[in-house]
Amino acid sequence: MQPIDLAIVGGTGVYALAQLVDVEAHQPVTPYGPPSGPVRIGAFAGKRVAFLARHGEGHSLPPHRINYRANLAALKALGAQRVLALNTVGGITAQCGPRALVLPDQLIDYTWGRMSTLC
């Protein structure tokens, strides 16, 4: 299998990579279940690139239902060498609006109820 130079995991608002050409959809089976949706592999700027919508195509999965382990295992099974994951987060107050750079002094961890490793 030809290696994938870069795999991109799109976050909220990024559900496709329009610049990909010659795109093929893959739905690999993983030991952790299915990924969030099809992995789309194509060419971009002469490189082989994969794209996966973290929340599924059409934003069908809320954050607590995303199978992160299956997503990473699917990208690895398809030959991804590197992964770039795009993320966004909402502000808790109006003072933390768009383009605000904030350094939190408290953290709410919503990841405590899921597996935290691929091992």
Side-chain angles (χ1 to χ4, degrees):
M1 174 174 290
Q2 184 182 8
I4 296 169
D5 297 300
L6 178 66
I8 299 171
V9 179
T12 300
V14 183
Y15 305 112
L17 195 57
Q19 295 83 356
L20 282 182
V21 295
D22 300 324
V23 179
E24 297 177 357
H26 298 267
Q27 198 79 48
V29 176
T30 78
Y32 308 105
S36 295
V39 178
R40 308 227 178 249
I41 301 174
F44 175 74
K47 301 288 185 180
R48 191 161 185 250
V49 176
F51 180 82
L52 173 63
R54 176 184 296 114
H55 293 279
E57 294 182 342
H59 200 107
S60 58
L61 295 169
H64 68 284
R65 296 279 186 219
I66 296 169
N67 190 338
Y68 294 93
R69 297 188 316 157
N71 287 351
L72 288 174
L75 295 173
K76 182 178 180 181
L78 291 169
Q81 302 294 302
R82 294 172 187 85
V83 176
L84 172 66
L86 307 175
N87 299 284
T88 59
V89 64
I92 294 178
T93 70
Q95 297 164 327
C96 298
R99 295 179 300 280
L101 179 61
V102 178
L103 181 61
D105 63 355
Q106 298 176 11
L107 179 67
I108 302 170
D109 182 5
Y110 289 115
T111 66
W112 62 269
R114 63 179 176 233
M115 299 297 290
S116 61
T117 183
L118 290 171
C119 299

